[in-house]
Amino acid sequence: MKALLSPLMLGALFAATTLIAPEARAQASVKPAAATAPAKFTELAKTPQMGWNTWNTFACDINEQLIRESADALVSSGMREAGYVYVNIDDCWHGKRDENGFIQPDPQRFPSGMKALADYVHARGLKLGIYSDAGAHTCAGKPGSRGYEYQDALTYARWGIDYLKYDWCDTDGLNARGAYTTMRDALRAAGRPILFALCEWGDNKPWEWAADVGHSWRTTGDIYPCWDCDFNRGTWSSWGVLPILDKQAGLRKFSGPGRWNDMDMMEVGKGMTEDEDKAHFSIWAMMNSPLIAGNDIRKMSATTRKILTNRAIIALNQDERGIQAWRFMNDGQLDMYAKPLANGEWALMFLNRADKARSYRFDWDEHELKDEFTHNQVHFGKVRHSFTELWSGATGDTARPYAMNVPAHGVVVLHLRPR
Ligand code: GLA
């Protein structure tokens, strides 16, 4: 590595701006960038990304053994087969930069190095994700990528990384769009298709500018495993399931294949009730959020595994049209969401926000659904559909009103197909 680097080139790498000299890139034996202007890798995240991430359960207490065991658990639990392929290492994997500025993993926690870990994960049909930050330090105070964007992107590509979550701590004075675009261009220059997940918490409205920059953007601050709470952390708050859902208002038009509103890593299996977990998972699926599990998948209960691997719910999230659901109606504390799917199919979700179960009779004749954004519309009373309830497996059709019982803090989710 060292021999390849002339002082001139090192300077260019350290400058780490979009102005890096093309000849320097070539000297670094980086795959040449496409002849066109730098752009994100458009072949990735055609449907919302699925995987697992260390942060929600382990925070900084991570090491390579945990990553290997979790990769194995993704396979043995059936999660990989259900679509969860990204194994994402969040904050705190970092050691120091070497004398040439190349970031190293923490030698105690990741003694075999990231390349070996990527090889392990790839051998199991999975992909490896990593975390960095647009500022000089990550949120946990580790080295960030500011000033090292091209060098870090190159390093990740050489390690065989497939996914980069890029955070927004320690960024005073930085322009978000500029900073994220610099890293996008750096990833493109490094040549390996790496899914780019912006984690800017919605502060600078990334949905307005990031469709060409990354594949998803966080829309809110951090999640917390509760139904409807705001967990005060002093200078900032974490949010429960309902507050995060409510912060999505007005954002669906920005979402679509390759550009997803990210509602944060999931808290399924982290202490909420079974009904709350089912609702949480269904909401994330209906809203086309990335489905990144945040529980300890090595030790999850059968109930948690069943929720996370509910193929019929996952299919709503992974529908090829990539249309985010909208709330078409509410009746007191009962919210109703609709999602147009491929082949003229639909999903409906009845979400009971209340602390008590709710009986509800849905009369198909009374509802004509019109999606103002995609112009899909349907009148279930006029065009008969059959449906499956995706948590109970119950079936029915739209010839007669549907009488349902929606659990407290729970959902009823229907997948409707024209007959
Ligand atoms: C921020 C992010 C979290 C997590 C931590 C790591 O809070 O929003 O998802 O990555 O940083 O320090």
Side-chain angles (χ1 to χ4, degrees):
M1 167 68 59
K2 228 169 149 185
L4 284 172
L5 298 171
S6 68
L8 180 80
M9 214 209 92
L10 268 176
L13 279 171
F14 285 130
T17 68
T18 50
L19 298 176
I20 188 168
E23 57 280 16
R25 267 194 243 135
Q27 282 179 44
S29 68
V30 181
K31 267 201 200 158
T36 52
K40 73 177 192 181
F41 293 96
T42 51
E43 68 273 27
L44 299 173
K46 290 285 185 204
T47 60
Q49 63 264 30
M50 295 177 65
W52 171 79
N53 174 296
T54 51
W55 185 256
N56 287 1
T57 296
F58 300 99
C60 279
D61 191 15
I62 58 173
N63 57 50
E64 62 183 35
Q65 191 57 23
L66 168 70
I67 305 304
R68 286 196 288 254
E69 287 173 11
S70 299
D72 291 345
L74 280 176
V75 178
S76 61
S77 64
M79 283 181 70
R80 179 192 65 185
E81 289 313 303
Y84 297 87
V85 293
Y86 288 104
V87 179
N88 292 348
I89 309 171
D90 207 280
D91 208 344
C92 299
W93 58 268
H94 319 67
K96 296 199 168 90
R97 293 189 181 277
D98 72 10
E99 67 275 24
N100 292 323
F102 286 94
I103 188 72
Q104 308 294 314
D106 181 314
Q108 265 83 48
R109 292 177 179 276
F110 293 88
S112 315
M114 288 298 173
K115 176 81 176 70
L117 204 48
D119 289 346
Y120 186 94
V121 163
H122 292 156
R124 283 151 186 78
L126 299 164
K127 294 169 184 289
L128 190 63
I130 211 164
Y131 162 100
S132 190
D133 187 289
H137 299 92
T138 71
C139 296
K142 305 293 177 188
S145 290
R146 185 171 185 176
Y148 294 88
E149 293 88 347
Y150 278 77
Q151 202 170 359
D152 285 355
L154 179 58
T155 302
Y156 304 153
R158 286 177 172 162
W159 284 344
I161 298 292
D162 305 293
Y163 186 119
L164 175 64
K165 170 176 169 180
Y166 203 50
D167 216 338
W168 190 238
C169 276
D170 194 20
T171 53
D172 280 357
L174 270 188
N175 173 285
R177 184 174 187 170
Y180 281 96
T181 302
T182 298
M183 188 43 112
R184 175 204 69 183
D185 293 347
L187 292 170
R188 167 58 73 174
R192 180 177 173 87
I194 293 181
L195 191 154
F196 190 32
L198 281 59
C199 178
E200 176 275 357
W201 321 311
D203 286 4
N204 295 276
K205 301 190 175 164
W207 42 87
E208 289 180 355
W209 48 261
D212 296 330
V213 178
H215 301 93
S216 62
W217 45 82
R218 281 271 298 277
T219 55
T220 69
D222 290 2
I223 194 169
Y224 192 78
C226 66
W227 182 245
D228 189 12
C229 74
D230 157 354
F231 185 76
N232 190 330
R233 295 180 186 268
T235 53
W236 56 289
S237 283
S238 317
W239 312 97
V241 169
L242 290 187
I244 288 185
L245 172 62
D246 293 341
K247 288 175 199 299
Q248 310 307 309
L251 300 189
R252 71 183 289 258
K253 66 174 183 240
F254 300 103
S255 164
R259 49 190 168 86
W260 308 108
N261 289 317
D262 178 356
M263 295 167 70
D264 204 357
M265 287 113 39
M266 296 186 290
E267 298 280 19
V268 174
K270 295 272 320 295
M272 288 189 287
T273 68
E274 182 177 345
D275 284 329
E276 288 170 340
D277 274 356
K278 285 175 174 167
H280 169 27
F281 190 57
S282 304
I283 293 167
W284 263 234
M286 291 286 286
M287 302 299 277
N288 288 347
S289 176
L291 297 180
I292 308 289
N295 57 314
D296 185 347
I297 52 178
R298 302 167 308 170
K299 296 182 185 155
M300 66 185 153
S301 68
T303 305
T304 297
R305 186 179 55 72
K306 267 175 119 171
I307 293 172
L308 288 172
T309 56
N310 183 322
R311 300 277 188 122
I313 297 285
I314 292 170
L316 307 181
N317 178 264
Q318 297 291 304
D319 181 76
E320 67 189 35
R321 296 185 70 194
I323 303 174
Q324 183 175 321
W326 86 99
R327 190 176 77 160
F328 67 90
M329 209 177 112
N330 75 303
D331 183 320
Q333 297 249 69
L334 188 66
D335 282 348
M336 301 171 218
Y337 283 81
K339 184 184 202 298
L341 303 169
N343 306 316
E345 301 178 5
W346 288 77
L348 295 189
M349 176 175 74
F350 300 85
L351 166 66
N352 182 6
R353 305 169 68 105
D355 301 340
K356 276 196 199 136
R358 172 89 187 264
S359 300
Y360 191 75
R361 186 173 171 279
F362 191 76
D363 189 344
W364 303 102
D365 287 332
E366 285 172 12
H367 300 286
E368 178 161 25
L369 297 187
K370 281 191 186 158
D371 179 356
E372 284 169 11
F373 166 48
T374 65
H375 306 297
N376 286 279
Q377 63 184 78
V378 65
H379 192 310
F380 293 115
K382 291 190 182 136
V383 184
R384 223 162 128 181
H385 285 62
S386 54
F387 61 79
T388 307
E389 201 290 291
L390 301 184
W391 289 109
S392 70
T395 55
D397 71 36
T398 59
R400 63 199 75 76
Y402 184 48
M404 67 188 98
N405 189 26
V406 193
H409 299 188
V411 288
V412 164
V413 185
L414 305 182
H415 186 153
L416 295 115
R417 297 180 174 82
R419 288 183 70 118

